PDB file of all heavy atoms in Angstrom:
ATOM      1  N   LYS A 327      32.544  16.205-130.535  1.00 98.00           N
ATOM      2  CA  LYS A 327      31.521  15.175-130.700  1.00 98.00           C
ATOM      3  C   LYS A 327      30.129  15.805-130.561  1.00 98.00           C
ATOM      4  O   LYS A 327      29.888  16.629-129.674  1.00 98.00           O
ATOM      5  CB  LYS A 327      31.690  14.076-129.643  1.00 98.00           C
ATOM      6  CG  LYS A 327      33.072  13.436-129.613  1.00 98.00           C
ATOM      7  CD  LYS A 327      33.380  12.662-130.868  1.00 98.00           C
ATOM      8  CE  LYS A 327      34.717  11.950-130.768  1.00 98.00           C
ATOM      9  NZ  LYS A 327      35.070  11.235-132.026  1.00 98.00           N
ATOM     10  N   THR A 328      29.208  15.399-131.433  1.00 98.00           N
ATOM     11  CA  THR A 328      27.849  15.940-131.391  1.00 98.00           C
ATOM     12  C   THR A 328      27.116  15.510-130.127  1.00 98.00           C
ATOM     13  O   THR A 328      27.151  14.342-129.733  1.00 98.00           O
ATOM     14  CB  THR A 328      27.048  15.475-132.617  1.00 98.00           C
ATOM     15  OG1 THR A 328      27.691  15.964-133.799  1.00 98.00           O
ATOM     16  CG2 THR A 328      25.618  15.991-132.573  1.00 98.00           C
ATOM     17  N   LEU A 329      26.457  16.465-129.503  1.00 98.00           N
ATOM     18  CA  LEU A 329      25.606  16.196-128.349  1.00 98.00           C
ATOM     19  C   LEU A 329      24.164  16.168-128.858  1.00 98.00           C
ATOM     20  O   LEU A 329      23.543  17.206-129.069  1.00 98.00           O
ATOM     21  CB  LEU A 329      25.805  17.268-127.279  1.00 98.00           C
ATOM     22  CG  LEU A 329      27.231  17.314-126.707  1.00 98.00           C
ATOM     23  CD1 LEU A 329      27.516  18.644-126.034  1.00 98.00           C
ATOM     24  CD2 LEU A 329      27.448  16.161-125.738  1.00 98.00           C
ATOM     25  N   ALA A 330      23.667  14.961-129.091  1.00 98.00           N
ATOM     26  CA  ALA A 330      22.358  14.785-129.721  1.00 98.00           C
ATOM     27  C   ALA A 330      21.245  15.350-128.850  1.00 98.00           C
ATOM     28  O   ALA A 330      21.363  15.444-127.623  1.00 98.00           O
ATOM     29  CB  ALA A 330      22.119  13.308-130.009  1.00 98.00           C
ATOM     30  N   GLN A 331      20.142  15.712-129.506  1.00 98.00           N
ATOM     31  CA  GLN A 331      19.005  16.261-128.760  1.00 98.00           C
ATOM     32  C   GLN A 331      18.047  15.151-128.363  1.00 98.00           C
ATOM     33  O   GLN A 331      17.904  14.146-129.068  1.00 98.00           O
ATOM     34  CB  GLN A 331      18.304  17.336-129.588  1.00 98.00           C
ATOM     35  CG  GLN A 331      17.585  16.853-130.838  1.00 98.00           C
ATOM     36  CD  GLN A 331      16.162  16.373-130.614  1.00 98.00           C
ATOM     37  OE1 GLN A 331      15.540  16.654-129.585  1.00 98.00           O
ATOM     38  NE2 GLN A 331      15.627  15.651-131.594  1.00 98.00           N
ATOM     39  N   SER A 332      17.360  15.348-127.242  1.00 98.00           N
ATOM     40  CA  SER A 332      16.427  14.352-126.724  1.00 98.00           C
ATOM     41  C   SER A 332      14.995  14.859-126.612  1.00 98.00           C
ATOM     42  O   SER A 332      14.088  14.081-126.336  1.00 98.00           O
ATOM     43  CB  SER A 332      16.886  13.857-125.343  1.00 98.00           C
ATOM     44  OG  SER A 332      18.071  13.107-125.450  1.00 98.00           O
ATOM     45  N   GLU A 333      14.774  16.169-126.811  1.00 98.00           N
ATOM     46  CA  GLU A 333      13.422  16.709-126.742  1.00 98.00           C
ATOM     47  C   GLU A 333      13.430  18.166-127.202  1.00 98.00           C
ATOM     48  O   GLU A 333      14.452  18.850-127.092  1.00 98.00           O
ATOM     49  CB  GLU A 333      12.863  16.619-125.316  1.00 98.00           C
ATOM     50  CG  GLU A 333      11.429  17.104-125.142  1.00 98.00           C
ATOM     51  CD  GLU A 333      10.410  16.316-125.954  1.00 98.00           C
ATOM     52  OE1 GLU A 333      10.430  16.451-127.208  1.00 98.00           O
ATOM     53  OE2 GLU A 333       9.597  15.596-125.352  1.00 98.00           O
ATOM     54  N   ILE A 334      12.292  18.626-127.700  1.00 98.00           N
ATOM     55  CA  ILE A 334      12.093  20.034-128.007  1.00 98.00           C
ATOM     56  C   ILE A 334      10.783  20.482-127.378  1.00 98.00           C
ATOM     57  O   ILE A 334       9.929  19.659-127.036  1.00 98.00           O
ATOM     58  CB  ILE A 334      12.067  20.310-129.531  1.00 98.00           C
ATOM     59  CG1 ILE A 334      10.959  19.509-130.220  1.00 98.00           C
ATOM     60  CG2 ILE A 334      13.426  20.035-130.149  1.00 98.00           C
ATOM     61  CD1 ILE A 334      10.748  19.871-131.688  1.00 98.00           C
ATOM     62  N   HIS A 335      10.624  21.803-127.221  1.00 97.00           N
ATOM     63  CA  HIS A 335       9.367  22.345-126.713  1.00 97.00           C
ATOM     64  C   HIS A 335       9.156  23.732-127.303  1.00 97.00           C
ATOM     65  O   HIS A 335      10.043  24.579-127.249  1.00 97.00           O
ATOM     66  CB  HIS A 335       9.368  22.427-125.182  1.00 97.00           C
ATOM     67  CG  HIS A 335       7.991  22.527-124.584  1.00 97.00           C
ATOM     68  ND1 HIS A 335       7.163  23.614-124.790  1.00 97.00           N
ATOM     69  CD2 HIS A 335       7.284  21.678-123.792  1.00 97.00           C
ATOM     70  CE1 HIS A 335       6.023  23.426-124.157  1.00 97.00           C
ATOM     71  NE2 HIS A 335       6.065  22.260-123.546  1.00 97.00           N
ATOM     72  N   PHE A 336       7.980  23.951-127.867  1.00 97.00           N
ATOM     73  CA  PHE A 336       7.620  25.248-128.423  1.00 97.00           C
ATOM     74  C   PHE A 336       7.598  26.303-127.317  1.00 97.00           C
ATOM     75  O   PHE A 336       7.088  26.059-126.221  1.00 97.00           O
ATOM     76  CB  PHE A 336       6.248  25.149-129.087  1.00 97.00           C
ATOM     77  CG  PHE A 336       5.762  26.420-129.722  1.00 97.00           C
ATOM     78  CD1 PHE A 336       6.170  26.774-131.000  1.00 97.00           C
ATOM     79  CD2 PHE A 336       4.898  27.260-129.047  1.00 97.00           C
ATOM     80  CE1 PHE A 336       5.720  27.944-131.599  1.00 97.00           C
ATOM     81  CE2 PHE A 336       4.439  28.431-129.625  1.00 97.00           C
ATOM     82  CZ  PHE A 336       4.851  28.781-130.900  1.00 97.00           C
ATOM     83  N   VAL A 337       8.151  27.485-127.605  1.00 97.00           N
ATOM     84  CA  VAL A 337       8.137  28.601-126.653  1.00 97.00           C
ATOM     85  C   VAL A 337       7.252  29.723-127.184  1.00 97.00           C
ATOM     86  O   VAL A 337       6.282  30.127-126.555  1.00 97.00           O
ATOM     87  CB  VAL A 337       9.570  29.120-126.390  1.00 97.00           C
ATOM     88  CG1 VAL A 337       9.530  30.385-125.528  1.00 97.00           C
ATOM     89  CG2 VAL A 337      10.406  28.044-125.692  1.00 97.00           C
ATOM     90  N   SER A 338       7.603  30.255-128.340  1.00 96.00           N
ATOM     91  CA  SER A 338       6.845  31.308-129.003  1.00 96.00           C
ATOM     92  C   SER A 338       7.161  31.211-130.488  1.00 96.00           C
ATOM     93  O   SER A 338       7.953  30.354-130.898  1.00 96.00           O
ATOM     94  CB  SER A 338       7.198  32.686-128.442  1.00 96.00           C
ATOM     95  OG  SER A 338       8.581  32.941-128.572  1.00 96.00           O
TER      96      SER A 338
END
Side-chain angles (χ1 to χ4, degrees):
K327 305 294 184 183
T328 299
L329 297 160
Q331 68 86 17
S332 292
E333 182 61 290
I334 58 172
H335 199 295
F336 181 83
V337 173
S338 58

